[in-house]
Amino acid sequence: MAQEEGRSLSEARSRVGVLHGITDLGDKLHFYKRWAPDYDQDVAALQYRAPRLAVDCLTQALPGPPHAALILDVACGTGLVAAELQARGFLQLHGVDGSPEMLEQARARGFYQRLSLCILGQEPLPSSEGTFDAVLIVGALSDGQVPCSAIPELLRVTKPGGLVCLTTRTNPSNLRYQEALEATLDGLERAGAWQRLVAWPVDRWELATSELEVGPGTSDCDGFISGIVYLYRKQDVAQVEGVRPSSQPPADL
């Protein structure tokens, strides 16, 4: 059993390590096509925590009962975020992803009321302005996936006063993207488009895939890389700006 688990972790590290090195969108979509059947097993082997952490963060900030909220899961993959949402009582879930094969896996879970194929950054989200109470994008903000230029599209489909939750890795191979992402997020806040509620650094994000990922931004004492969860509230036109952001994790986590 231990030998099988070790082999599974080694294979998962190899596949995810390859993925982290792909910066071309077409190549990345081709990779996901082959990876879709093994995706859940691999991220479980790597102890990937982003879906649970993002949903925990969102749940504590979203007003009203969970079953009443309409949620969009962007880059939904196989539906790991939906599984976390459903476990907390969220029932109105829509998902979009750029990979038909990943959407097939998500559809099999039965958690989504609507699933759509959409390559964010190349086309708009298939929803009207101000549709969703909350929008999440977990695990797709990196080179070769969703470009920073697509972030305003998340805001467009969020209701005024609604929430947007985003995650990204902060390990060495993703630092350049994270810097560009931070600039985009800050620019939208300065423009009054949204207000940052949480910026939550997390040490134990997922296991590193190679020694190259162990360095600044990596919790190298236990082999985990780091990441960050952001939470924003879309501004109403009449809202007053100037509330200071929080860098503290949500309570009780």
Side-chain angles (χ1 to χ4, degrees):
M1 180 64 72
Q3 186 175 3
E4 290 180 3
E5 290 179 356
R7 183 164 57 248
S8 176
L9 177 57
S10 176
E11 291 172 354
R13 279 179 156 151
S14 176
R15 279 190 283 261
V16 176
V18 170
L19 176 70
H20 287 179
I22 299 173
T23 58
D24 177 78
L25 176 59
D27 291 342
K28 212 145 206 172
L29 288 174
H30 182 69
F31 184 91
Y32 276 115
K33 179 178 181 178
R34 294 180 287 109
W35 192 27
D38 298 315
Y39 178 86
D40 287 1
Q41 174 184 316
D42 283 355
V43 297
L46 290 174
Q47 302 179 46
Y48 178 55
R49 303 173 65 221
R52 181 179 68 80
L53 297 171
V55 173
D56 282 347
C57 187
L58 176 71
T59 300
Q60 296 196 30
L62 195 65
H67 63 82
L70 182 60
I71 309 293
L72 178 64
D73 181 8
V74 178
C76 66
T78 63
L80 294 179
V81 169
E84 297 287 347
L85 287 165
Q86 196 270 345
R88 290 160 179 77
F90 293 94
L91 303 177
Q92 300 185 67
L93 308 179
H94 292 194
V96 298
D97 198 88
S99 166
E101 293 76 19
M102 297 291 271
L103 285 173
E104 287 179 13
Q105 300 292 322
R107 188 170 289 109
R109 288 183 183 270
F111 294 149
Y112 296 98
Q113 282 65 58
R114 177 181 174 186
L115 285 166
S116 304
L117 183 66
C118 174
I119 301 177
L120 189 58
Q122 295 191 359
E123 54 190 324
L125 289 167
S127 300
S128 302
E129 183 174 348
T131 297
F132 298 98
D133 295 291
V135 174
L136 299 96
I137 181 165
V138 177
L141 293 174
S142 63
D143 281 332
Q145 290 187 278
V146 175
C148 296
S149 60
I151 300 299
E153 185 65 5
L154 307 179
L155 262 171
R156 181 185 68 81
V157 301
T158 305
K159 294 177 181 178
L163 299 175
V164 182
C165 185
L166 316 91
T167 75
T168 194
R169 292 178 285 113
T170 56
N171 63 306
S173 67
N174 201 50
L175 285 181
R176 184 176 65 176
Y177 181 95
Q178 193 217 350
E179 289 173 0
L181 177 63
E182 282 272 2
T184 300
L185 303 180
D186 290 348
L188 288 168
E189 187 166 27
R190 287 194 301 271
W194 61 11
Q195 171 197 341
R196 180 179 287 187
L197 303 180
V198 174
W200 176 22
V202 177
D203 285 339
R204 294 170 62 89
W205 194 255
E206 67 180 4
L207 288 170
T209 61
S210 72
E211 292 182 2
L212 294 176
E213 291 195 329
V214 177
T218 302
S219 181
D220 56 5
C221 61
D222 53 13
F224 280 80
I225 64 171
S226 57
I228 189 166
V229 180
Y230 301 100
L231 186 68
Y232 288 84
R233 177 175 287 119
K234 183 175 178 178
Q235 296 283 57
D236 289 316
V237 174
Q239 272 188 291
V240 177
E241 300 178 30
V243 179
R244 295 176 64 86
S246 170
S247 61
Q248 299 300 314
D252 302 326
L253 294 185

